[in-house]
Amino acid sequence: MSDQVLRMEDVTMQFGGVVAVNNLSLEVNRGEIVALIGPNGAGKTTAFNCITGVYEPTNGLVYYEGNLIVANHPSGKMKNAYQGMNSEKYLSIKPIDPTPDHITKLGIARTFQNIRLWKSMTVFENVLTAKHMRAKQNVFTATFRLNAAEERRMREETLALLEEQNLLQFKDDLATSLPYGLQRRLEIARALATEPKLLLLDEPAAGMNPQETEELGQFIVQIKNKYDLTIFMIEHHMDLVMRFSDRIYVIDFGRLIATGTPSEVQANPKVIEAYLGVAEDE
């Protein structure tokens, strides 16, 4: 089996006349922690949305474990409006536009830049609902109430997951009543409940102080090892990125400008320019 878990090939996402992601190609290998970084508005979350079925990319391909899961090319009015590259490269490929639930069933889970917990549900219910993604039941077993053992299994596994994440004491609290840092952890626990192989984290350390960020980094490594995960994350906290990432991709204005190990990226002049700018000649 190939070590490549995720591959994006020439992915472009254009909204009207705005190209948010421009011909992005990258790969994430099994067992890695890979970071996607860039200034605000660089197109990072849009790239995640193209992977997870939230957006249908205007052009390009996405592979998961060697299988093509997303594909598109400019069509209709976009044929003339398209401003990206490789406009005719994928015309022979039938578009593939999976929904987010289909992507999750494949083994890809994600968290969001803005926490998206189910507000009217408890901590326990948030995770249990995610557990149903892998439920071994059907219309027949539900109709004749034959799901008792399966429901018991999911409830027990939900409680075990909450205990592991130090959230068990909050199981009956509304999810949105938790402190911010615990809501972040709950969102990760909910993603783990879908039994992913690839976990996408969108700014998991947002709003955290340095100590919380360090603890989060250790936590990410722990769950990667325990659940045999591959992790692809967007993050602005450079201490977290540089300390815990195996490799880094850097994008600016939707384009890939650098890739490499943390030390290579940290010393890259294009990355320094993108983040700090350059002084104009006097």
Side-chain angles (χ1 to χ4, degrees), residues 37 238 241-248 250 258-269 271-272:
I37 68 172
M238 288 300 102
V241 170
M242 296 301 169
R243 178 166 162 73
F244 295 102
S245 299
D246 296 304
R247 292 188 300 112
I248 300 170
V250 189
T259 183
T261 64
S263 58
E264 290 170 342
V265 165
Q266 201 168 20
N268 189 302
V271 177
I272 295 171

Side-chain angles (χ1 to χ4, degrees), residues 4-31:
Q4 190 180 87
V5 174
L6 176 73
R7 177 158 65 93
M8 302 179 73
E9 183 178 313
D10 304 321
V11 170
T12 297
M13 185 72 232
Q14 181 171 332
F15 301 97
V18 177
V19 180
V21 174
N22 198 343
N23 203 50
L24 178 62
S25 295
L26 56 79
E27 63 183 47
V28 179
N29 298 317
R30 197 171 310 280

Side-chain angles (χ1 to χ4, degrees), residues 204-217:
M208 294 186 179
N209 61 40
Q211 180 179 345
E212 291 170 331
T213 301
E214 172 66 20
E215 291 172 354
L216 176 68

Side-chain angles (χ1 to χ4, degrees), residues 25-85:
S25 295
L26 56 79
E27 63 183 47
V28 179
N29 298 317
R30 197 171 310 280
E32 286 187 310
I33 297 177
V34 175
L36 180 65
I37 68 172
N40 287 328
K44 303 180 296 296
T45 296
T46 300
F48 267 29
N49 287 340
C50 290
I51 295 168
T52 57
V54 177
Y55 295 153
E56 179 183 4
T58 313
N59 194 50
L61 312 175
V62 178
Y63 290 87
Y64 173 65
E65 294 193 320
N67 299 309
L68 183 61
I69 62 169
V70 177
N72 203 21
H73 54 75
S75 59
K77 294 181 179 179
M78 186 54 69
K79 279 187 175 181
N80 294 325
Y82 185 66
Q83 298 176 20
M85 302 172 65

